[in-house]
Amino acid sequence: MIISAWIFSRWMALIYLIAFWSLGVQVLGLIGSHGLLPVSDFLNFITQQEGAKRFWVVPSLCWINSSDVFLLFLCWGGALLSILLFMDVMPAVTAFFLWLFYMSLTVVGQDFLSFQWDNLLLEVGFLLIFLTPRPLRVGFKPSVRPSVIMIWLFRWLLFRLMFESGMVKLLSGDVNWSHLTALTYHYWTQPLPNMISWYANQLPLWFQRLSCAIMLGIEVIIPFLIFCGRWGRLIAFFAITGLQLLIILTGNYCFFNLLAIGLCLTLLEDEHFKRLSFPNFFTGNSEKTILEETVFYKASTCIVAALILIVSLGLMADSFAHLPVPKPIEQLIIATSPVRSINNYGLFAVMTTERDEIVLEGSSDGENWQPYEFRYKPGNIDQAPRWAMPYQPRLDWQMWFASLGSWRENQWLIALMVKLLQGEPSVIRLLAVDPFKDHPPKYIQASFWEYHFTDFKTRGANGPWWQRKVIGLYCPTVSLN
């Protein structure tokens, strides 16, 4: 597993780089001092609620400093650490600080860093700390044999990710999954469709139902092949990786699918890579391979393995079988939850069958309204759905979640409207088009529209990609007065 682990570490370094860069260009508008949900306000609230327990409830370096400069330091410092990890510079130490930096941002990111892939990155990143038994080495070629225990923990995580994702759909009671019609809604109701999503939505019903059945089979059945020897793992690799590539083609889920593909790399044996075009690179250092593991390293990997197995099995028992969890395990689950490094997974348990979009509009006189355009969220019906992956426009994503509830449940949206009235630069940079470049508007309203993909006949050569009709106002009109 020397080569597989080496490639997996490089892959994870790239994902970390994507994650930190993606957040770095948005962080001030989202959680900066003039952003939508300032970190300092959040930490003050936690201090009032939790007192001395606040450091464990919200384990973040931002307790030391929550300034804009420090937030940028965590983001761009994380990007630099990602490059060091790619170059194999003190991999365990580098991986630890990558995990610490990303956790510090995630736990204070509130609504904007509450996604499953943020938690998955923390869980994979935590295991990555223990992947190599030589934490202080500096090198680039594969030359260190990883712990077999750690490799199996990555495989166990992949199993949980896929199996739980399938089971939440089957156990939800949603007839769209049991009748295999979920994909007839998915492509146009998912948070951020892309151009291929439009074409996938035009496929016939029989193909959509067949695709849904295959997807459920890959999520629920195929993961068990991970425990069925070399050939079983090879089949699982191709099936799960193929599914992730199709999801990448038809949606914008930032680095989520890349993380799943990365975990699939741990299913491969070194022989699979030695057949590539660079055999000398992969085999030239075999005589330097370090086989022994220190007593401390063996002990730490065993402790980590026991912790993860106990907590993850407890979470699965509670989520799927609703079995009573022994009190000590329940307390362990509660104790480890703040670091978000052992989690449950599963998206789209209940399929969204409608798409209602919030359209923000500004006015200087209260009569003539001009819309704000987001970078990736549907707005202008003539604009093709855009590619965002692997970048995650976190505000665009939250606009989709806000449309599923009321404005009272999304106070950050009111903050967004106020910031637009104030002309806050860090927030306006999160948008694609500001129709009030010279001076902010006096009024902001959020109108509610029902959106749906058009078909081939309506689209024609240059027709609209979307069709929409107005529903009404999402919330009352806002002004600074």
Side-chain angles (χ1 to χ4, degrees):
M1 296 300 298
I2 300 171
I3 299 172
S4 301
W6 183 89
I7 293 177
F8 172 69
S9 294
R10 308 285 80 68
W11 188 271
M12 282 303 303
L14 293 175
I15 292 177
Y16 261 129
L17 180 61
I18 291 168
F20 279 111
W21 160 75
S22 174
L23 183 57
V25 297
Q26 306 175 75
V27 67
L28 295 187
L30 299 176
I31 59 174
S33 58
H34 298 286
L36 303 178
L37 296 174
V39 170
S40 56
D41 293 350
F42 174 69
L43 294 180
N44 289 336
F45 172 78
I46 295 298
T47 299
Q48 295 172 5
Q49 296 293 316
E50 302 295 342
K53 296 190 299 181
R54 64 187 183 275
F55 300 115
W56 181 247
V57 174
V58 180
S60 174
L61 294 175
C62 290
W63 288 112
I64 302 173
N65 191 326
S66 60
S67 67
D68 290 353
V69 172
F70 192 73
L71 291 175
L72 291 174
F73 164 75
L74 290 177
C75 291
W76 299 116
L80 177 60
L81 288 170
S82 304
I83 297 173
L84 294 179
L85 179 62
F86 187 87
M87 300 303 296
D88 220 10
V89 177
M90 297 188 295
V93 175
T94 305
F96 169 76
F97 281 103
L98 280 166
W99 173 79
L100 179 62
F101 279 25
Y102 202 74
M103 181 186 66
S104 296
L105 290 164
T106 300
V107 297
V108 300
Q110 302 158 84
D111 293 338
F112 297 111
L113 280 102
S114 59
F115 299 97
Q116 286 197 27
W117 40 90
D118 293 317
N119 292 346
L120 179 60
L121 180 55
L122 286 175
E123 187 160 357
V124 179
F126 178 72
L127 293 179
L128 193 65
I129 300 170
F130 304 92
L131 181 61
T132 173
R134 288 295 179 266
L136 300 179
R137 66 183 296 273
V138 177
F140 188 68
K141 290 187 177 182
S143 59
V144 178
R145 185 181 301 279
S147 165
V148 174
I149 293 177
M150 298 313 301
I151 292 296
W152 275 105
L153 285 178
F154 283 115
R155 292 171 176 173
W156 170 240
L157 175 55
L158 177 62
F159 171 84
R160 287 163 42 216
L161 174 65
M162 299 306 299
F163 182 70
E164 290 176 5
S165 296
M167 290 302 295
V168 296
K169 298 178 178 67
L170 296 180
L171 296 176
S172 68
D174 187 349
V175 296
N176 290 301
W177 291 114
S178 58
H179 295 173
L180 304 179
T181 57
L183 293 185
T184 61
Y185 301 100
H186 168 72
Y187 296 116
W188 60 278
T189 63
Q190 64 180 312
L192 297 180
N194 60 33
M195 189 181 297
I196 295 182
S197 308
W198 187 91
Y199 290 98
N201 188 64
Q202 315 303 320
L203 295 169
L205 177 60
W206 68 266
F207 188 87
Q208 306 280 26
R209 300 184 73 171
L210 177 62
S211 300
C212 187
I214 293 174
M215 183 198 68
L216 290 173
I218 292 175
E219 290 185 341
V220 176
I221 299 174
I222 291 296
F224 287 95
L225 295 180
I226 293 173
F227 309 106
C228 296
R230 177 177 297 184
W231 282 104
R233 289 194 291 273
L234 191 60
I235 294 171
F237 169 82
F238 283 110
I240 298 173
T241 301
L243 175 62
Q244 300 305 317
L245 291 174
L246 288 173
I247 295 174
I248 288 173
L249 285 175
T250 58
N252 284 303
Y253 295 94
C254 57
F255 52 82
F256 193 28
N257 307 112
L258 296 178
L259 273 171
I261 293 174
L263 289 172
C264 288
L265 293 174
T266 65
L267 302 178
L268 299 178
E269 307 290 339
D270 286 357
E271 289 73 17
H272 298 126
F273 296 103
K274 290 179 181 178
R275 299 173 184 175
L276 300 176
S277 303
F278 309 101
N280 292 332
F281 180 79
F282 286 134
T283 60
N285 281 355
S286 58
E287 70 277 3
K288 299 180 182 180
T289 299
I290 300 173
L291 299 177
E292 70 278 6
E293 300 173 0
T294 64
V295 174
F296 175 78
Y297 179 73
K298 289 180 179 179
S300 61
T301 54
C302 289
I303 292 172
V304 169
L307 175 66
I308 290 175
L309 287 175
I310 292 172
V311 174
S312 60
L313 286 172
L315 288 171
M316 292 179 70
D318 179 61
S319 298
F320 298 135
H322 301 293
L323 297 175
V325 178
K327 192 67 175 180
I329 297 179
E330 181 182 347
Q331 292 175 341
L332 190 60
I333 292 173
I334 295 172
T336 56
S337 62
V339 297
R340 304 189 185 188
S341 296
I342 311 175
N343 308 287
N344 276 335
Y345 299 99
L347 292 172
F348 299 108
V350 177
M351 182 54 58
T352 306
T353 57
E354 297 178 349
R355 184 181 198 99
D356 297 331
E357 286 288 345
I358 302 169
V359 177
L360 295 182
E361 300 169 304
S363 174
S364 296
D365 56 14
E367 295 182 3
N368 300 299
W369 298 91
Q370 299 183 63
Y372 287 88
E373 291 291 340
F374 287 75
R375 295 186 182 277
Y376 300 96
K377 187 181 81 69
N380 184 348
I381 62 174
D382 294 319
Q383 181 175 308
R386 299 183 59 190
W387 294 91
M389 186 268 175
Y391 173 78
Q392 184 186 0
R394 293 179 180 268
L395 178 58
D396 297 54
W397 266 83
Q398 282 304 126
M399 291 295 291
W400 182 82
F401 282 108
S403 70
L404 303 179
S406 72
W407 63 271
R408 293 180 178 84
E409 301 169 311
N410 298 279
Q411 290 300 304
W412 62 264
L413 181 60
I414 304 302
L416 171 60
M417 299 169 76
V418 171
K419 295 296 181 180
L420 294 179
L421 289 169
Q422 295 172 338
E424 170 56 42
S426 63
V427 173
I428 291 175
R429 280 194 292 269
L430 300 174
L431 305 177
V433 175
D434 174 16
F436 299 90
K437 296 180 180 179
D438 297 331
H439 56 83
K442 293 183 179 180
Y443 308 95
I444 294 285
Q445 71 175 15
S447 55
F448 218 24
W449 295 76
E450 181 182 326
Y451 273 66
H452 200 296
F453 272 154
T454 56
D455 54 23
F456 280 116
K457 181 179 179 181
T458 305
R459 168 91 178 98
N462 296 298
W465 295 84
W466 296 94
Q467 58 187 10
R468 69 176 189 174
K469 62 180 180 180
V470 67
I471 300 174
L473 285 180
Y474 178 79
C475 69
T477 301
V478 174
S479 71
L480 293 180
N481 295 326

